[in-house]
Amino acid sequence: MKEIIKGRGAIKGIAEGEALVCPDSIQGWAGIDEVTGVIIEKGHVAEGTSIAGRILVIPSSKGSNCWSGHFNSAMINGVKPAGWVVSQIDSRVGVAAVVVGSPMVVDFSDVDPCQVIKTGDWVKVNGDSGEVEISRQG
């Protein structure tokens, strides 16, 4: 079963991958291990899970302004997300996405991607058209 949701393309390009949904986002400082891409934020719903090659689904950023630096380090180490689906873009996540160059769709007006997409779904992010195609797991 496939479902398409529509937002606004923010970073051009197309990426596909397994979704990692973080409904409370990821903190900027001590949120991810920049070498492995593993979420290290204590108590996070996805603590111990890698962002590498995944489609990161978040409401917005959280925490410090270190987001772009941490995600840049993750990119240098080959563990960046393949793409981004962000409910409402803010400056921290926007800069991080530009730095890593992964396609991004943002600003969904009629749907909350963190509610519609589930971790493990296969997701295609089209930063050109603003469409996100979701293929349910299983």
Side-chain angles (χ1 to χ4, degrees):
M1 178 176 116
K2 291 187 180 183
E3 181 177 354
I4 295 177
I5 59 175
K6 182 86 169 137
R8 179 176 61 84
I11 306 292
K12 301 270 186 210
I14 297 172
E16 294 185 58
E18 185 179 357
L20 176 58
V21 181
C22 299
D24 292 326
S25 196
I26 304 168
Q27 67 185 25
W29 182 256
I32 61 168
D33 180 312
E34 301 163 354
V35 175
T36 64
V38 171
I39 295 174
I40 58 173
E41 180 180 341
K42 297 297 180 200
H44 192 279
V45 66
E47 184 179 359
T49 305
S50 178
I51 64 168
R54 307 283 290 272
I55 303 298
L56 197 55
V57 182
I58 58 175
S60 60
S61 66
K62 174 175 88 173
S64 75
N65 289 328
C66 298
W67 258 66
S68 57
H70 292 294
F71 280 94
N72 181 57
S73 294
M75 178 192 65
I76 290 168
N77 289 309
V79 294
K80 71 175 187 168
W84 309 74
V85 176
V86 181
S87 301
Q88 298 293 318
I89 194 168
D90 60 37
S91 60
R92 290 175 291 214
V93 72
V95 171
V98 168
V99 166
V100 302
S102 299
M104 177 186 269
V105 176
V106 301
D107 296 340
F108 296 83
S109 60
D110 60 345
V111 66
D112 180 353
C114 293
Q115 296 291 321
V116 175
I117 302 170
K118 305 298 179 206
T119 294
D121 288 345
W122 191 260
V123 176
K124 181 177 180 181
V125 176
N126 187 327
D128 301 325
S129 70
E131 291 184 339
V132 176
E133 183 179 296
I134 307 152
S135 298
R136 300 288 172 213
Q137 62 182 349

